[in-house]
Amino acid sequence: MRFKFFFIIIAVHAVLITILFFKSGIRIDGEAQKYISAAKLISEQSDFSGLSRHSFYSSYILLLAFLFKVGLEFNGIIIFQLLLNLLCAYFVFALLIRLTMRIQIGYYGSLFFLLCLPIQQWVLALYTESFFICLLVIFSFLLTGKQTATKVIVLTIIGLLLAFCRPIGIFIAIGGFFVGTQLVSKKCNLLTSLALFFSLLQFF
């Protein structure tokens, strides 16, 4: 049942992405130009000067630089973002099950994520939004459950990537680590902590 459902929503998602692609193509205009230029400087000339001008977007610029360095161009980067987007949908599924203990909510949540037009349109753009959303979902998932040393290390790395993906990221990371410390110290339960975390987001 689970694999059949995922196959169906991935197929529907593929149709949506195909429609968006033929409608608007790959977006490399506007804000994307500064990320691409800075990433090209790093990958081609080992020149990191662009990071100082766009420091709050540096994690996405470094990702682009790495992908350019290994030989991917715009089409390859979009495929990478699509795969990351599907991974993110799984984390939406797992997070909702962990919070509600109901697998149906996990199914519907992942379906809504993959069919949400305002989210999915960014997958086909070299903008920070798609990467940022994926980091935020994975970060939220890692805040839940039992905290181990390995999990804290991974959470810290993703928190740093989140902090320097978009300007709002640093506030989200700080709020997330605050919630994490509350969970570890058991001063509040999981649902209360996540409610506090997402309430903090409303101020930014």
Side-chain angles (χ1 to χ4, degrees), residues 10-20:
I10 289 173
V12 175
H13 176 253
V15 172
L16 173 63
I17 291 296
T18 301
I19 293 171
L20 290 174

Side-chain angles (χ1 to χ4, degrees), residues 45-116:
Q45 304 177 29
S46 298
D47 181 353
F48 291 83
S49 60
L51 289 183
S52 61
R53 296 192 298 271
H54 310 298
S55 56
F56 286 109
Y57 306 93
S58 56
S59 63
Y60 187 65
I61 291 172
L62 289 172
L63 172 66
L64 288 181
F66 171 76
L67 295 175
F68 285 140
K69 193 69 175 178
V70 299
L72 296 184
E73 292 299 329
F74 298 143
N75 289 339
I77 292 171
I78 293 303
I79 291 173
F80 173 84
Q81 291 190 168
L82 276 168
L83 294 175
L84 186 61
N85 185 63
L86 291 174
L87 177 65
C88 183
Y90 172 77
F91 277 105
V92 170
F93 172 78
L95 177 62
L96 289 174
I97 291 178
R98 180 175 286 178
L99 293 176
T100 66
M101 304 301 291
R102 295 181 62 185
I103 194 169
Q104 293 87 352
I105 293 178
Y107 285 144
Y108 292 131
S110 57
L111 176 63
F112 175 80
F113 176 83
L114 287 176
L115 298 183
C116 181

Side-chain angles (χ1 to χ4, degrees), residues 9-200:
I9 64 171
I10 289 173
V12 175
H13 176 253
V15 172
L16 173 63
I17 291 296
T18 301
I19 293 171
L20 290 174
F21 177 77
F22 282 107
K23 180 180 179 181
S24 57
I26 296 174
R27 292 190 59 188
I28 56 172
D29 58 341
E31 290 285 302
Q33 285 299 310
K34 66 182 181 183
Y35 310 138
I36 294 169
S37 298
K40 288 283 189 181
L41 281 175
I42 296 171
S43 63
E44 295 174 359
Q45 304 177 29
S46 298
D47 181 353
F48 291 83
S49 60
L51 289 183
S52 61
R53 296 192 298 271
H54 310 298
S55 56
F56 286 109
Y57 306 93
S58 56
S59 63
Y60 187 65
I61 291 172
L62 289 172
L63 172 66
L64 288 181
F66 171 76
L67 295 175
F68 285 140
K69 193 69 175 178
V70 299
L72 296 184
E73 292 299 329
F74 298 143
N75 289 339
I77 292 171
I78 293 303
I79 291 173
F80 173 84
Q81 291 190 168
L82 276 168
L83 294 175
L84 186 61
N85 185 63
L86 291 174
L87 177 65
C88 183
Y90 172 77
F91 277 105
V92 170
F93 172 78
L95 177 62
L96 289 174
I97 291 178
R98 180 175 286 178
L99 293 176
T100 66
M101 304 301 291
R102 295 181 62 185
I103 194 169
Q104 293 87 352
I105 293 178
Y107 285 144
Y108 292 131
S110 57
L111 176 63
F112 175 80
F113 176 83
L114 287 176
L115 298 183
C116 181
L117 190 59
I119 293 175
Q120 298 307 314
Q121 66 183 358
W122 294 116
V123 176
L124 295 175
L126 268 66
Y127 282 53
T128 60
E129 278 81 355
S130 181
F131 186 51
F132 180 80
I133 290 168
C134 291
L135 288 175
L136 180 58
V137 170
I138 296 171
F139 186 76
S140 300
F141 175 79
L142 290 174
L143 281 175
T144 66
K146 183 179 180 181
Q147 299 296 325
T148 64
T150 302
K151 194 173 180 181
V152 169
I153 292 171
V154 175
L155 184 63
T156 301
I157 293 171
I158 294 179
L160 289 173
L161 292 174
L162 189 62
F164 293 97
C165 185
R166 292 180 62 80
I168 192 177
I170 192 164
F171 298 107
I172 294 174
I174 291 171
F177 285 122
F178 170 74
V179 168
T181 59
Q182 298 302 300
L183 282 171
V184 170
S185 63
K186 300 189 184 306
K187 291 182 179 179
C188 55
N189 62 33
L190 175 60
L191 287 175
T192 302
S193 295
L194 286 177
L196 174 61
F197 175 52
F198 287 107
S199 295
L200 288 171

